[in-house]
Structure formats: structure tokens, C-alpha cells
Amino acid sequence: MKKIIETAEENILHTYNRYNIVLDHGDGVYVYDTEGKRYLDFYSGIGVYGLGNSNKEFNEALKTQVDKILHVSNLFYNEPAAKAAEALVKVSGMDKVFFTNSGAEAIEGALKSALKYAYNKDGKHDHEIIALDHSFHGRTCGALAVTGKAAYREAFEPLISKVNFATMNDYDSVYSLVNEKTCAIIMETVQGEGGIFPADKEFLQKIYKLCNEKDILLILDEVQCGMGRCGSMYAFMQYDVCPDILTSAKALGNGVPVGAFLVNKKVAAASLVAGDHGTTYGGNPFATAAVCEVLRQYEKLDIVSHVKALTPYLESRLDELVNKYDCITSRRGMGFMQGLELNIAPSEVINAGIEKGILTLSAGSNVLRLLPPLIITDKDIDNMYNILDDVFAHI
Ligand SMILES: Cc1ncc(COP(=O)(O)O)c(C=O)c1O
């Protein structure tokens, strides 16, 4: 492992402080390092492996596609993209989809859709967006802003729009920022990176109503909390609301880099048109074959019902830890997206967990984040409990 870590550090730009292990292969809810040590996976590659590591049927579907065709570009049609689009539109209840290569690119497309919708309405360039404190939507920074063809940029300018930040679950803080320039409100249905904060039902329903009344577009970012993780195909489905624009990624590809933004009829009819948006790789047959197989297995295994059924057990075992250890102050989350708030640094727990054979994550500054594969069983939850119990007992 030492040699691989040295080579990586010598050559990869150091933008991450990585843990000192080299992951080599996976099997279901387990991941192994290059020295054969086994780890119980309670991070899923940051919420990616819904169907678990090295899922055999998934791998076979990918291999079949590799031997057929990997890429065609969006200048031509391809069958996996058509099928993936049909399946994703069906399970999301949205109207049209655009496939991207990542979550951040899905956000870019979502914002461009909202800006174009507003521009089509009033022809103005001064639209504003409302986002929330502690949100996380990705790391890109305006590739279009430096693109030298005005036709590509015009409808979306200024490319870095004015963004006003409100507070999650504080409706008045959102309402006070709304003005005639507001074109979109963007939020995660359950904030992930920011510390595992689910939206309150009343809060999201009020935002939804406000958006409908004022023709502001509601963008729900479900890159992390979507795809069954919270016990419904998309978390918003538990709130009796519908976004105008939805973003999805991570578990959508189960390890293959793919994302998507989806729009409802209203946005589809009055926003992006041919020439407005594009990508070389997005929606290529390899990535969309992955989406097809993911959605096929979700249906076959009824992943959503499984998450829903097992959530109370996961929560009860985590609550046992909360009650047992003073350094855990509370638990919050939805489905298999859970956070333990700590009064010690999460890195202490994560590092001790690695020693004892479990992979977990942090969120915000003081939360231990748990994002297990969606296929875990009650036995895996018991294993998680036993390892974390051991970790906390020795901290
Ligand atoms: C809610 C949310 N939105 C967007 C992103 C960005 O996705 P990606 O890292 O695939 O660009 C993330 C990544 O963690 C996320 O959690």
C-alpha cells in the first residue's frame, strides 16, 4: 500500500487528505484493501453503491455493453439512453431527462434550465437564485462563463447569478429573499454534506406553494438523498410536493459516473431547446446501460421497500449508541442516510473505525455520516453496531 500511496501523492494534485489505505476490490457490503483487510461498507463510495460493491449482474450488464459500443456522442441516438430515459422518467414522475457525467453537472443543467425559463418569460439578465446555508451542490465554476461564443452564453448571463442564502427549515428566511428577480429556489430535500438535515414537511410544502404562486422554479437536489436512499425512490415523494427540476447522480450509476437533471412539463415546454445545452459523454451507452441495469435491479429487488422496512431497525440500533455514549449527542436522518452528531471530531471515529474494519464518513463539522449500500440486512446493521460500539468504547 505504501508504494501506491507514494506514487499517488507524487502525481495526483493534492486536493484531498485521503485515508492511508488503498481500496482494491469489493463484494456486496464489504470492501477490501490491497492487503486483504476487510471493511464493512457504511459509506458506499459516498452514497454511490446502492446495489453494493461488485454486484455480479450489474458487472455482467456493463461487460455486455463494453463489447457492443461505449460511446456514440449526442449526435446520434443509442438504445441504452432511450431505455434509461424512459425508465428514469417513469420512476421519478418527471417529464424529460438530460444525462450528465456527475452530480455537479446535473446542477449546472438545472440552473441553466431555470435561467432560460426566466429569460424566456421576461428577456432580462438579472435573475436571482435562492439557496440554503449548509447546502452542497458540487464543485464546478462556470465553464460557460469562459466560453467565447455569445450564443452559448447569452440566455444564461450573468453566468454567476446573484445567489441569496436562506436557512433550512426557516420559511420566513426564504420568503424575505423573494423578489421579482427570483427565478429559482434550489435545495437538497435532505442536506448531506452539510450535516444530514432533512427538510421539515411543512417547510418544503410552503416553499412548494410559494414557488407555484410566484412561478419560481423549485429545484430539488437529490444527488445524495435520492435513488431510494431515504425510503422512497426520491425523498420528495414523502412530502407531497413535486419539484420543477430534479437532480440525480451517485446511486443512479452504482459506480459508473452518471448524473441527470429532470424537468417537469412546464419547464420542458419553455426552457432549454436544441443548441442550449450539451455534453460529449453525457448519456453515452455505457453510462446509460448502467442506469438501465440499476433501475432493473431496483425493481426486481424492490430496493425502496427494503430500505423503508429496515429503517426503523437501523435507527433503533443507532439510538442505542446515542443513549450509551456521551460523545454522541443526537441522531438525525431519513432512511439509510443517517447522521450521529458528536461532541468530538468525527475523524477520530472514522479513523478508529478503519482500524476496526468499518468505513464511515463525516458531514458538516461534527457529524458521523452513515450511507450504507441499500442492500444491507439486519445482520449487517448488527455488525455495524458491534464495530461502532467497540470504537466508541475505546475513544
Ligand atoms: C447533494 C449533492 N449535490 C451535488 C453533488 C455533486 O456531485 P458530484 O460530486 O457527482 O459532482 C453532491 C456530491 O456529494 C451532493 O451531495
Side-chain angles (χ1 to χ4, degrees):
M1 292 211 281
K2 198 164 165 276
K3 178 80 185 67
I4 297 170
I5 291 170
E6 275 168 17
T7 306
E9 284 304 332
E10 261 170 48
N11 296 287
I12 297 175
L13 190 66
H14 189 93
T15 64
Y16 276 93
N17 291 322
R18 293 178 166 82
Y19 298 105
N20 271 333
I21 51 174
V22 181
L23 296 181
D24 185 63
H25 61 281
D27 183 11
V29 299
Y30 288 101
V31 192
Y32 296 80
D33 68 22
T34 45
E35 288 173 12
K37 182 171 169 185
R38 189 175 85 158
Y39 304 87
L40 180 62
D41 181 5
F42 262 65
Y43 95 116
S44 301
I46 322 188
V48 165
Y49 278 124
L51 296 171
N53 295 268
S54 210
N55 177 295
K56 298 286 174 293
E57 287 177 51
F58 181 71
N59 291 354
E60 285 312 315
L62 294 184
K63 285 176 200 166
T64 305
Q65 189 59 46
V66 166
D67 287 337
K68 254 176 127 180
I69 195 162
L70 283 176
H71 178 75
V72 300
S73 87
N74 282 301
L75 300 180
F76 300 91
Y77 294 97
N78 74 79
E79 191 181 6
K83 287 191 163 162
E86 185 183 35
L88 192 56
V89 161
K90 188 168 163 227
V91 297
S92 65
M94 302 298 287
D95 194 50
K96 291 272 196 300
V97 57
F98 182 104
F99 288 111
T100 66
N101 309 291
S102 66
E105 284 171 80
I107 297 295
E108 296 273 334
L111 295 175
K112 282 182 72 179
S113 300
L115 290 170
K116 182 71 193 290
Y117 180 86
Y119 177 75
N120 277 348
K121 261 199 321 194
D122 63 15
K124 292 188 180 157
H125 284 287
D126 57 356
H127 298 114
E128 298 180 3
I129 291 162
I130 297 177
L132 300 184
D133 290 330
H134 302 295
S135 61
F136 183 86
H137 298 293
R139 310 274 202 148
T140 54
C141 165
L144 195 54
V146 291
T147 292
K149 188 171 170 185
Y152 285 154
R153 292 191 317 262
E154 255 164 17
F156 312 102
E157 287 178 323
L159 285 152
I160 310 292
S161 305
K162 184 161 183 236
V163 180
N164 301 301
F165 286 92
T167 307
M168 179 67 135
N169 293 331
D170 178 350
Y171 177 74
D172 291 343
S173 78
V174 178
Y175 187 75
S176 68
L177 295 174
V178 171
N179 60 45
E180 72 287 350
K181 296 177 186 172
T182 308
C183 71
I185 298 176
I186 180 167
M187 57 180 280
E188 298 154 83
T189 315
V190 181
Q191 288 187 337
E193 302 285 328
I196 313 290
F197 292 104
D200 291 344
K201 193 160 189 179
E202 194 193 344
F203 173 73
L204 186 48
Q205 288 186 340
K206 278 177 145 178
I207 300 270
Y208 173 63
K209 192 160 166 270
L210 175 71
C211 286
N212 280 340
E213 277 166 16
K214 300 206 175 278
D215 199 18
I216 294 168
L217 298 183
L218 175 60
I219 305 174
L220 290 182
D221 178 357
E222 298 223 5
V223 164
Q224 190 166 149
C225 64
M227 288 299 292
R229 181 156 293 283
C230 291
S232 49
M233 194 61 198
Y234 285 95
F236 74 80
M237 293 169 172
Q238 294 175 53
Y239 289 80
D240 302 321
V241 303
C242 285
D244 296 293
I245 307 175
L246 172 71
T247 58
S248 190
K250 291 191 185 276
L252 181 62
N254 199 55
V256 171
V258 58
F261 66 90
L262 298 109
V263 298
N264 65 7
K265 279 205 170 59
K266 176 172 95 169
V267 178
S271 179
L272 302 178
V273 292
D276 274 345
H277 197 53
T279 162
T280 301
Y281 275 131
N284 89 6
F286 180 68
T288 48
V291 175
C292 288
E293 177 59 15
V294 164
L295 293 176
R296 188 189 72 79
Q297 288 201 36
Y298 266 59
E299 195 177 341
K300 187 182 96 176
L301 303 171
D302 200 356
I303 290 287
V304 170
S305 301
H306 174 70
V307 173
K308 204 170 157 198
L310 213 55
T311 293
Y313 189 61
L314 174 63
E315 290 181 340
S316 73
R317 298 255 55 192
L318 291 173
D319 287 341
E320 279 181 59
L321 291 171
V322 179
N323 293 333
K324 194 163 173 189
Y325 294 103
D326 289 344
C327 63
I328 314 175
T329 52
S330 63
R331 175 191 65 77
R332 57 177 178 261
M334 243 172 108
F336 287 3
M337 183 169 181
Q338 294 286 334
L340 296 179
E341 194 169 300
L342 309 176
N343 56 24
I344 55 172
S347 58
E348 265 192 70
V349 181
I350 296 169
N351 281 314
I354 288 172
E355 282 297 309
K356 295 191 188 292
I358 190 168
L359 300 180
T360 56
L361 292 158
S362 64
S365 59
N366 62 349
V367 174
L368 183 73
R369 181 171 31 153
L370 302 167
L371 300 175
L374 306 183
I375 54 162
I376 54 164
T377 62
D378 47 0
K379 250 170 87 193
D380 300 318
I381 293 174
D382 289 340
N383 287 342
M384 173 278 298
Y385 177 89
N386 291 333
I387 303 174
L388 286 186
D389 187 32
D390 191 19
V391 165
F392 282 112
H394 294 91
I395 268 174

